[in-house]
Amino acid sequence: MSSPANLTYFRGWGLAEQIRWMLAVAPETSSFTQTALETREAFLSLRDSSLQYNQLPLLEIDGLKLVQSGACVRYLASRAKIAGNGPAAAARVDMACCAIGDARLGVVKWPFSPDKRVHLDTFVQPLVNKWFPLLEDQAVASSTSWLCDTPEFTAADVLLAEATIAYEEMGVELSTYTKVQEIKGRVMKMDGIKVYLESELRFPFPREGDICDAYVANVNTVLGR
Ligand SMILES: N[C@@H](CCC(=O)N[C@@H](CS)C(=O)NCC(=O)O)C(=O)O
């Protein structure tokens, strides 16, 4: 890769955090850079030059300007050869990545909910109750140590670890999902992930208070809301 991949988003997690983990996990892309937009003007200029559907995140890699977070994850998975080997495994991995994306909706919406306790009780916990037992069952049924029954880890394991940590940051209790926790533990020990989590590229989770308010203000300024 001639120049490092660059990810453009806001100063926070949102739809970009899965992409950051996917970049971090692969040695070829772990030295990525990022641009956190601060102004409406910067967004409008970027929108006109680079955003195919007028939306962030934007991943610039291999001479491409990729948008749509799911497409970015898929590209990185395929590039790092962690998308599943062969059509059947690739479909299993893709299904799991999409399911984890559904399960993760509570993370994306979290900073924007005015009452965190209500959001936790009415939106986050029902999502967790729906998805984590299914993901745990899948991990238990797998004949390997990884979610999708693959001999090596895949993008689904990386995204599962990321979503689990995000919910734990909100104070959701997930310790009973023991297989999910095992996968999370192994992903967190991966070199690129360890470096990323301790680096300046990693934003704090906008749990509440100043960090949350600053993130919401950043998004609203950039999107002109
Ligand atoms: N499905 C898209 C959704 C992207 C999206 O909604 N991005 C927001 C920021 S998180 C955005 O750019 N909104 C501006 C707009 O839709 O005009 C993805 O996963 O990337």
Side-chain angles (χ1 to χ4, degrees), residues 13-27:
W13 290 29
L15 290 171
E17 193 58 14
Q18 289 188 321
I19 302 172
R20 296 188 185 103
W21 280 61
M22 290 296 297
L23 286 162
V25 81

Side-chain angles (χ1 to χ4, degrees), residues 3-224:
S3 54
N6 188 67
L7 180 66
T8 302
Y9 198 59
F10 312 105
R11 297 186 60 75
W13 290 29
L15 290 171
E17 193 58 14
Q18 289 188 321
I19 302 172
R20 296 188 185 103
W21 280 61
M22 290 296 297
L23 286 162
V25 81
E28 274 215 12
T29 52
S30 58
S31 310
F32 68 98
T33 56
Q34 64 183 354
T35 306
L37 296 185
E38 302 281 359
T39 65
R40 178 76 180 146
E41 292 67 34
F43 174 76
L44 293 177
S45 161
L46 187 75
R47 186 191 68 184
D48 294 344
S49 66
S50 306
L51 301 180
Q52 184 156 354
Y53 303 116
N54 295 347
Q55 292 181 321
L56 298 170
L58 168 70
L59 174 63
E60 293 171 276
I61 184 169
D62 301 332
L64 302 167
K65 292 177 190 289
L66 303 180
V67 294
Q68 287 291 336
S69 54
C72 297
V73 164
R74 237 169 255 125
Y75 181 81
L76 292 169
S78 161
R79 196 181 190 288
K81 300 190 175 32
I82 54 171
N85 196 5
R92 279 203 310 276
V93 172
D94 205 19
M95 282 161 48
C97 290
C98 291
I100 294 162
D102 287 353
R104 193 184 183 278
L105 277 178
V107 179
V108 179
K109 290 181 188 289
W110 172 270
F112 304 96
S113 67
D115 186 328
K116 301 290 185 260
R117 174 49 58 188
V118 171
H119 182 68
L120 197 61
D121 290 345
T122 61
F123 191 71
V124 169
Q125 199 61 55
L127 265 182
V128 167
N129 294 347
K130 173 179 170 150
W131 286 104
F132 274 75
L134 296 171
L135 294 165
E136 175 72 11
D137 286 352
Q138 183 175 359
V140 168
S142 172
S143 66
T144 73
S145 352
W146 303 108
L147 183 65
C148 296
D149 211 16
T150 51
E152 304 294 338
F153 81 95
T154 69
D157 299 293
V158 177
L159 300 191
L160 181 62
E162 189 278 329
T164 304
I165 286 184
Y167 280 127
E168 287 174 340
E169 288 275 0
M170 292 177 198
V172 178
E173 176 53 56
L174 295 174
S175 61
T176 53
Y177 300 105
T178 50
K179 287 285 170 192
V180 168
Q181 290 291 349
E182 283 171 26
I183 290 172
K184 181 191 92 177
R186 284 197 301 277
V187 170
M188 285 185 71
K189 288 199 186 97
M190 293 175 181
D191 289 345
I193 297 291
K194 267 196 308 198
V195 170
Y196 166 61
L197 293 178
E198 285 157 21
S199 76
E200 291 185 354
L201 294 170
R202 169 81 161 170
F203 291 108
F205 182 74
R207 193 168 181 164
E208 53 195 343
D210 290 351
I211 293 175
C212 184
D213 294 346
Y215 175 66
V216 171
N218 174 215
V219 173
N220 287 342
T221 299
V222 169
L223 295 184

